[in-house]
Amino acid sequence: MSTLKHLPVQEWKDKFHLINFVETGTFEGDGIRAALKCNFKRYFSCDIVVGFAIHAAQEFSHIPNVSITHADSISFLSALPFDIGPTFFWLDAHQPEFYGEEETDKNKFPVLEEIEIIKSRLGFERDVIVVDDLIAIKG
């Protein structure tokens, strides 16, 4: 498991003129906490586990440009506004069974479908996509 604090997010934000941060898999809010240090315009995050989403939404409720959603990553990414501009995507949604949620073939490792949704956005070629735990995906 990686964390954003070990990656050069600020460097990528500056180099690629990224405006927003999008994360799938909020968990305990570490990704949002790390991304906030980079001063993105807006932050969007989701988690399939309602408790994680509620906890993070409460923690970041005082920051108006942070949006935490209780949703699966596919629904969340599909609902994002298409006009948000160049975005840093941190894809970290996988293995919901590990967190006590029902796991299906579709939600176990949704990264390929997540990337297809991102690719359908106008201007996606200006986005940066980082996939966490890619090594966990077999086959």
Side-chain angles (χ1 to χ4, degrees):
M1 180 171 90
S2 309
T3 65
L4 280 181
K5 64 184 177 184
H6 297 114
L7 299 173
V9 178
Q10 184 68 55
E11 179 182 326
W12 294 336
K13 178 187 178 274
D14 296 342
K15 179 177 182 177
F16 298 108
H17 310 287
L18 303 173
I19 299 170
N20 299 294
F21 173 82
V22 171
E23 167 187 54
T24 60
T26 309
F27 189 44
E28 295 178 337
D30 293 340
I32 293 290
R33 267 186 234 98
L36 283 168
K37 295 176 184 175
C38 297
N39 296 311
F40 287 98
K41 181 178 178 183
R42 291 182 286 183
Y43 304 81
F44 302 90
S45 184
C46 76
D47 206 287
I48 197 169
V49 179
V50 68
F52 293 151
I54 289 171
H55 179 358
Q58 290 171 343
E59 178 180 345
F60 301 111
S61 64
H62 66 286
I63 307 172
N65 57 338
V66 173
S67 174
I68 309 291
T69 304
H70 170 239
D72 65 87
S73 62
I74 301 305
S75 300
F76 167 73
L77 290 172
S78 297
L80 280 177
F82 273 74
D83 61 350
I84 62 174
T87 299
F88 180 92
F89 286 92
W90 174 243
L91 303 182
D92 193 20
H94 55 275
Q95 297 175 298
E97 189 174 69
F98 184 76
Y99 304 100
E101 296 294 311
E102 181 180 354
E103 190 169 285
T104 65
D105 287 341
K106 184 172 180 165
N107 72 9
K108 185 173 183 173
F109 294 114
V111 70
L112 294 178
E113 191 170 353
E114 291 170 346
I115 291 171
E116 287 302 317
I117 292 167
I118 293 166
K119 282 176 46 181
S120 72
R121 295 180 33 186
L122 186 61
F124 81 92
E125 62 279 348
R126 295 181 58 209
D127 296 333
V128 170
I129 302 169
V130 178
V131 179
D132 188 31
D133 300 321
L134 191 56
I135 195 166
I137 301 173
K138 297 178 183 159

